[in-house]
Amino acid sequence: MEGTISPLCLRFSSSLCYFSSNVSLDSHRSLGFTLVDSLRPTNLVSLRTGNRRLFLSPARGALRTPTLTAEEVKDVPMPKIDKSGRLSSPRAARELALVTLYAACLEGSDPIRLFEKRINARREPGYEFDKSSLLEYNHMSFGGPPVKTETSEEEDELVRHDENESKIEAEVLSAPPKLVYSKLVLRFAKKLLAAVADKWDSHVVIIEKISPPDWKSAPAGRILEFSILHLAMSEMAVLETRHPIVINEAVDLAKRFCDGSAPRIINGCLRTFVKDRAAAATPTPQALKLKQEVSV
């Protein structure tokens, strides 16, 4: 089968399918729920934006951003697996936060409550997790462009490789988080979600300005992209991780879970966000003059 295009590039990540398996986009649309305007950690309220009635998720109580220290969130190179045999890299924390936020948006629930629900869920009797799958789990598995094969054997080999990768991914992402992720990763992922909740309202306004019109016209089809933007913007604004690191991580997540031009657009949106923040933080000549007058 010369010139056959492998379905490798068409796979939708099993991790996200796992988290959203009980929620269809049709039901999502019928609820009038859109990621751009909703999912806010406040009491249940409804708003009108244009022609859409938006229902915002409940919960404020325990959603204050935890106390952060520079040492805890400093992004330094770390081994993929720690001494306890669990994922320990910052990439694992960002991925966990993303799939949790994505699921919360589909359900219309609060991301931190969903995160804690998964953390505290009881294991099924007799459940065992094979930690060796963590060594095979690939954070950098990107879909990429279509792959052409010269023979049917090459195509079959690519399909088998992809199916095996999906199986490992599904096993890792569906396992109890405490068996998969180190305490540092779990703590960092929760801080990312708390930062998103803390900055949601202000970042919704910014995303409305910097995201492409076609994304805003069909938000139900861009839940992943908006989730990545919220996570990245919140990490820069609240956790103060250096923006080159955050942008690179966000682009990699987009390459892994999104399709088409999403990585390039997310890169542009975040660079605009950084530029606008820097401009807003720079005092204008008028402000400097006023400050001098006040000090005198």
Side-chain angles (χ1 to χ4, degrees):
M1 297 178 65
E2 185 176 348
T4 300
I5 296 179
S6 167
L8 178 67
C9 61
L10 303 179
R11 177 173 63 90
F12 187 71
S13 175
S14 58
S15 59
L16 298 183
C17 291
Y18 165 75
F19 279 100
S20 60
S21 58
N22 296 322
V23 185
S24 67
L25 278 179
D26 290 336
S27 63
H28 168 76
R29 291 191 185 96
S30 68
L31 291 173
F33 179 84
T34 62
L35 175 69
V36 179
D37 306 296
S38 48
L39 183 63
R40 193 180 78 176
T42 60
N43 294 328
L44 183 64
V45 296
S46 64
L47 299 177
R48 286 192 179 276
T49 303
N51 297 324
R52 301 190 296 268
R53 185 174 183 84
L54 311 170
F55 294 90
L56 310 184
S57 59
R60 184 69 176 177
L63 299 185
R64 294 180 180 177
T65 304
T67 302
L68 305 174
T69 65
E71 190 62 32
E72 283 183 299
V73 299
K74 186 177 181 181
D75 211 309
V76 295
M78 296 180 65
K80 177 182 174 182
I81 306 293
D82 67 5
K83 294 180 180 179
S84 68
R86 293 174 173 82
L87 294 177
S88 61
S89 67
R91 167 65 59 86
R94 294 183 179 100
E95 185 178 86
L96 177 59
L98 174 61
V99 294
T100 304
L101 180 59
Y102 176 78
C105 289
L106 288 180
E107 295 179 3
S109 61
D110 177 75
I112 300 181
R113 290 184 184 274
L114 179 61
F115 177 83
E116 292 178 339
K117 180 180 179 181
R118 282 211 67 211
I119 293 296
N120 299 318
R122 293 183 178 180
R123 304 176 198 170
E124 296 180 3
Y127 174 83
E128 292 184 5
F129 175 64
D130 182 8
K131 285 191 175 182
S132 64
S133 61
L134 296 179
L135 296 173
E136 301 178 64
Y137 183 60
N138 185 8
H139 285 308
M140 304 297 288
S141 175
F142 303 144
V147 178
K148 289 187 177 181
T149 58
E150 298 297 330
T151 65
S152 59
E153 288 77 14
E154 289 181 4
E155 181 186 3
D156 292 341
E157 179 61 28
L158 278 174
V159 171
R160 282 193 296 270
H161 177 272
D162 192 50
E163 289 176 346
N164 182 61
E165 196 172 69
S166 296
K167 182 180 178 181
I168 293 171
E169 190 175 65
E171 182 178 359
V172 169
L173 272 296
S174 62
K178 289 182 179 179
L179 298 180
V180 176
Y181 303 100
S182 68
K183 292 181 179 179
L184 179 64
V185 166
L186 294 176
R187 187 162 63 246
F188 187 24
K190 187 173 181 180
K191 287 176 180 178
L192 287 171
L193 293 171
V196 169
D198 184 49
K199 290 292 184 178
W200 187 270
D201 289 342
S202 59
H203 286 171
V204 161
V205 176
I206 296 172
I207 290 175
E208 285 280 1
K209 294 178 180 178
I210 65 177
S211 59
D214 59 328
W215 285 19
K216 292 178 285 188
S217 63
R222 295 294 177 181
I223 298 175
L224 274 173
E225 288 84 348
F226 288 130
S227 292
I228 292 172
L229 286 175
H230 271 287
L231 281 169
M233 291 164 59
S234 299
E235 182 174 354
M236 287 186 280
V238 179
L239 275 64
E240 298 183 347
T241 307
R242 293 189 298 116
H243 73 265
I245 293 173
V246 177
I247 293 176
N248 287 339
E249 289 288 299
V251 170
D252 280 350
L253 287 173
K255 289 178 181 178
R256 181 160 168 74
F257 295 120
C258 307
D259 56 9
S261 59
R264 176 178 57 80
I265 294 175
I266 284 174
N267 179 64
C269 289
L270 292 177
R271 292 192 180 281
T272 299
F273 172 71
V274 171
K275 182 179 177 181
D276 291 347
R277 285 191 76 214
T282 303
T284 63
Q286 294 82 356
L288 289 173
K289 183 178 179 180
L290 179 60
K291 183 177 181 180
Q292 292 173 352
E293 291 176 353
V294 172
S295 62
V296 172

